[in-house]
Amino acid sequence: MSYPIINQSKLTSDVDKLVKNVLFNNLSSKCFQDQMNKLYRPLMTMYYSHSSLNYSQTINALMNSSIIFIGAEYPCNVIWDYDRTQKLITELLGYKENIMRELYNWRYQEKQNKESLDLYFKNLIEDKSRVLVIFIELKYLKNRRHHVTIHNFYNHMKKLRKLISKRNSCFKNLTGYAWALEQGYKNGGFHCHLVLTYDNSKRYSDWYIAKTIGEKWQEVTEGVGTYHSSHDSDTKRNYRKDGKLGIGRIHRDKPQEVENALTVARYLTKSNKYDQKLKVWLPRMQTFGHGEFNKD
């Protein structure tokens, strides 16, 4: 049996928002009903064709609740009418505690990640008189990301981290790095925030390094990937004017520069980005990590 192409990242993001909106933001039952008739069939197709994946508590709640009323009925035959929708909403209310617990657990983990990242980056900066800090977002082309699954994203990141570990080409003279995997709130697109430090006595142009890392990502993804960098001169000039420049050359004896750089790194672990956590992931898949500090 062949299935239509499902935009896995957008679908899981839309379902996550739908459940949160009906439980916490007073979404009308009519809007919920309309969205269920739109999303339920592709959700069921994805869920049962990728049964080994893990999903957010919102998606698990919808699946578990809907099965009570649908049973063995094929998704293509299901119509969410008023009565069935009301029963579903009532059943979903029993999962609010699980969803909130996932939020609390995520915030606790982000706090732990932030503390670990702070210590790591402070050591990296203090180890050299000056370092280059690179911050880049690795993502996918708008007209191609609907084909990208969590398996694709995982494999692309695995290849990239392997290249980073080898410290060759654009990663030569790298002293440290950290990464965080996310899923966009508006469009659901998978993406990675990557922050790296280089020995500034051996590497000089942060703009060029960011560019070559972005190009390496495009190579790893076989042309499906793209990137965003803030290392152009105009953007950096504006940050510098506001006293917030934390990328490029950072001197360890300039406290404001160091604090700005730490702020850049902390973006990976901000506790107000819960809506951008992954809604679908592989078992034992890491969504955050950093290198190890080895003093020269």
Side-chain angles (χ1 to χ4, degrees), residues 36-237:
M36 280 298 296
N37 283 315
K38 176 183 177 182
L39 298 174
Y40 187 67
R41 181 178 178 181
L43 174 64
M44 292 288 282
T45 300
M46 177 191 70
Y47 197 88
Y48 286 111
S49 59
H50 301 286
S51 58
S52 64
L53 295 178
N54 292 330
Y55 296 92
S56 67
Q57 286 298 321
T58 50
I59 296 174
N60 288 334
L62 186 62
M63 291 300 302
N64 294 338
S65 298
S66 63
I67 288 172
I68 293 175
F69 308 111
I70 302 306
E73 190 171 354
Y74 287 108
C76 57
N77 297 330
V78 173
I79 300 295
W80 289 94
D81 57 20
Y82 176 82
D83 289 338
R84 185 176 268 172
T85 300
Q86 293 302 310
K87 291 177 181 177
L88 177 60
I89 293 173
T90 300
E91 189 67 25
L92 278 172
L93 289 170
Y95 288 89
K96 289 182 73 171
E97 184 177 340
N98 287 357
I99 294 170
M100 291 305 299
R101 188 181 300 117
E102 182 180 63
L103 168 61
Y104 299 143
N105 290 342
W106 180 85
R107 285 179 174 168
Y108 175 77
Q109 186 59 58
E110 287 298 278
K111 181 175 181 294
Q112 299 294 105
N113 292 343
K114 177 182 176 297
E115 292 174 357
S116 174
L117 188 62
D118 268 7
L119 178 61
Y120 176 61
F121 260 79
K122 285 177 182 176
N123 284 332
L124 290 174
I125 293 173
E126 290 172 1
D127 190 50
K128 306 288 182 184
S129 61
R130 62 186 190 277
V131 298
L132 283 182
V133 174
I134 311 297
F135 182 80
I136 186 169
E137 180 184 1
L138 307 174
K139 50 187 180 177
Y140 295 95
L141 293 167
K142 287 183 179 180
N143 64 345
R144 302 290 297 278
R145 62 187 173 208
H146 58 283
H147 290 288
V148 178
T149 67
I150 192 64
H151 290 89
N152 299 141
F153 188 36
Y154 171 81
N155 287 328
H156 292 156
M157 287 304 306
K158 185 178 179 180
K159 290 178 182 177
L160 184 71
R161 291 199 301 271
K162 187 174 182 179
L163 291 172
I164 290 174
S165 68
K166 290 182 177 179
R167 300 293 205 273
N168 293 326
S169 63
C170 59
F171 301 115
K172 188 176 181 181
N173 305 124
L174 182 73
T175 59
Y177 66 96
W179 50 270
L181 308 185
E182 297 181 354
Q183 189 171 347
Y185 180 71
K186 291 183 178 179
N187 54 52
F190 298 126
H191 60 274
C192 170
H193 293 292
L194 182 65
V195 58
L196 314 97
T197 59
Y198 288 80
D199 184 346
N200 189 214
S201 68
K202 298 176 181 177
R203 299 296 295 270
Y204 309 104
S205 173
D206 56 296
W207 172 84
Y208 178 74
I209 294 173
K211 175 177 177 291
T212 55
I213 293 172
E215 291 170 346
K216 183 61 70 176
W217 173 249
Q218 291 172 326
E219 179 184 322
V220 164
T221 60
E222 298 180 340
V224 179
T226 187
Y227 67 97
H228 174 75
S229 165
S230 298
H231 289 265
D232 60 280
S233 57
D234 288 341
T235 301
K236 287 172 62 179
R237 187 180 303 113

Side-chain angles (χ1 to χ4, degrees), residues 7-14 17 140 145-146 148 150 153 182-191 275-280:
N7 187 335
Q8 191 183 67
S9 60
K10 187 174 190 306
L11 175 60
T12 51
S13 182
D14 287 347
K17 283 186 283 189
Y140 295 95
R145 62 187 173 208
H146 58 283
V148 178
I150 192 64
F153 188 36
E182 297 181 354
Q183 189 171 347
Y185 180 71
K186 291 183 178 179
N187 54 52
F190 298 126
H191 60 274
D275 286 333
Q276 295 190 55
K277 75 176 288 293
L278 292 183
K279 287 82 177 173
V280 55

